Amino acid sequence: MKKVSAKANSNIALVKYWGKRDHSLNLPAVPSISITLDALYTETTVIFDPEMNSDSLILNRVQASEKETKRITKFLELIRQKKNITTFAKIESINNFPTAAGLASSASSFACLALAASTAAGLSLNRSELSALARIGSGSAARSVFGGFVEMKLGEKKDGSDSVAEPLFPASHWDLSVLIAITSEEKKKTGSTDGMELSRITSPYYQSWIESSVSDIEEMRSALLKRDFEKTAEISEFSCLKMHALAMASNPGLIYWNGTTVELIHGIRQMRSNGIPVFFTIDAGPQVKAVCPAEYTKIIQNNLLQVKGVKRVMQTALGGDAEILKVEDCN
């Protein structure tokens, strides 16, 4: 019986993921490209204990809700099936940033859980297998298995085995900084999974969103290779605004932004027009991420803090792969 602790970082997509082509396997409707964030992470400890009569989840030092625990149990069943065991697990997990608030906490959480739980169960999964496993917990978690610049492949196989993330470039490829303007600490009312399904069913823009994703991926891959900041900014903001237009055009409309979010968009565009290299991206939530070359971090941070409604600004470099922190023998 092993007690395993692991760590995985959050990520933000520059070319966005929104929509699933297979809900049960969590297969994405579009490919995506992301950057992994060093300062935002989850640490999770897992032990499969024969004394347990059900799975237990302590999240951010508090007993998780029944809904959260059921989601974890469903995920752990995949691992138990792979290892042919029936033992329940005790899980303790901590996010060092707001949970379910548009900062991809599910990405780091399920990438971390996939690594810790599979190791604790005695499985030896390679990184591609780990990415496929994490994807079933949360689509964006497949990307958090890797550091730096990461591409999520759409895949073609019905079982989803080739719908995995792959590293494009290490964090050292481009010294970028990400500034996250926190505009609200509250949990969002509509989670990403429910939001994606609503958009798939009701948004008139859904098919166009899928069709336009291929060129976005190809152009972004080329821009990152060349470290072309202007092109990277153009594609990122285009993808971000398309995703939110798709969500807003759902029925009922999904508006993840607040007033401060909009002010930040205008502020970042104004900075860029004034010659400061920076662009925005926004996930399913009200927080705005400003991406820039590292040497511009301070001036941009100061400008973001001037926007009314910004509670604080988190700064991060690009992060590395998910990793095992500790393995303890508890027999």
Side-chain angles (χ1 to χ4, degrees), residues 4-315:
V4 178
S5 298
K7 176 183 177 181
N9 299 90
S10 178
N11 73 77
I12 56 167
L14 302 182
V15 176
K16 297 298 188 189
Y17 152 56
W18 193 255
K20 305 177 193 293
R21 71 178 191 275
D22 185 306
H23 204 272
S24 62
L25 293 174
N26 235 5
L27 300 180
V30 293
S32 54
I33 290 177
S34 65
I35 49 178
T36 303
L37 308 179
D38 183 60
L40 279 67
Y41 59 84
T42 300
E43 290 187 359
T44 300
T45 299
V46 179
I47 182 169
F48 285 91
D49 188 348
E51 300 294 316
M52 304 280 290
N53 54 23
S54 65
D55 294 316
S56 170
L57 171 63
I58 304 294
L59 179 59
N60 296 326
R61 299 184 177 86
V62 176
Q63 186 71 48
S65 68
E66 184 178 348
K67 182 180 179 181
E68 288 169 325
T69 305
K70 279 185 176 179
R71 186 179 180 186
I72 295 300
T73 291
K74 185 178 179 181
F75 184 75
L76 291 176
E77 282 302 316
L78 301 169
I79 293 171
R80 284 190 275 259
Q81 289 169 14
K82 287 178 182 290
K83 190 61 181 176
N84 195 26
I85 60 173
T86 57
T87 315
F88 292 108
K90 180 179 181 181
I91 302 161
E92 295 183 14
S93 188
I94 294 177
N95 298 318
N96 79 329
F97 59 99
T99 302
L103 291 172
S105 58
S106 63
S108 56
S109 295
F110 276 99
C112 196
L113 180 59
L115 178 56
S118 63
T119 304
L123 293 171
S124 296
L125 303 181
N126 62 37
R127 286 281 153 165
S128 185
E129 292 168 330
L130 193 64
S131 180
L133 175 62
R135 183 205 72 235
I136 298 176
S138 168
S140 54
R143 302 188 307 248
S144 275
V145 169
F146 303 100
F149 301 82
V150 183
E151 179 175 345
M152 181 67 194
K153 298 290 188 180
L154 192 58
E156 297 177 352
K157 297 180 181 178
K158 287 187 177 180
D159 66 357
S161 58
D162 59 346
S163 184
V164 296
E166 294 180 356
L168 279 178
F169 310 104
S172 58
H173 173 70
W174 199 356
D175 190 13
L176 295 178
S177 182
V178 181
L179 296 146
I180 303 166
I182 304 296
T183 69
S184 173
E185 305 268 1
E186 295 179 8
K187 286 190 175 183
K188 55 194 178 188
K189 293 179 180 178
T190 304
S192 296
T193 297
D194 291 340
M196 288 182 196
E197 186 63 6
L198 181 66
S199 293
R200 184 186 70 82
I201 294 170
T202 67
S203 180
Y205 302 157
Y206 189 72
Q207 194 56 42
S208 295
W209 161 254
I210 291 173
E211 290 169 0
S212 69
S213 68
V214 176
S215 60
D216 289 347
I217 289 288
E218 292 173 352
E219 289 181 19
M220 179 60 81
R221 209 185 288 131
S222 174
L224 293 175
L225 175 64
K226 298 172 185 175
R227 294 191 284 271
D228 183 338
F229 190 86
E230 196 171 301
K231 191 65 176 177
T232 299
E234 176 193 324
I235 302 164
S236 294
E237 291 188 357
F238 184 45
S239 179
C240 169
L241 293 175
K242 277 194 297 182
M243 187 197 94
H244 283 278
L246 170 68
M248 289 179 189
S250 303
N251 190 11
L254 295 167
I255 303 175
Y256 286 105
W257 300 350
N258 55 36
T260 308
T261 308
V262 178
E263 288 301 315
L264 285 163
I265 290 172
H266 289 304
I268 289 168
R269 283 182 157 181
Q270 185 61 50
M271 277 190 270
R272 195 163 67 247
S273 70
N274 292 340
I276 299 172
V278 60
F279 66 85
F280 67 82
T281 187
I282 309 162
D283 291 328
Q287 329 303 356
V288 177
K289 294 87 173 179
V291 184
C292 65
E295 61 266 31
Y296 289 88
T297 299
K298 196 64 180 175
I299 186 172
I300 293 168
Q301 185 172 32
N302 289 339
N303 285 342
L304 295 177
L305 286 168
Q306 299 304 311
V307 177
K308 186 178 179 180
V310 172
K311 297 180 180 298
R312 58 195 172 100
V313 174
M314 303 171 69
Q315 186 271 325

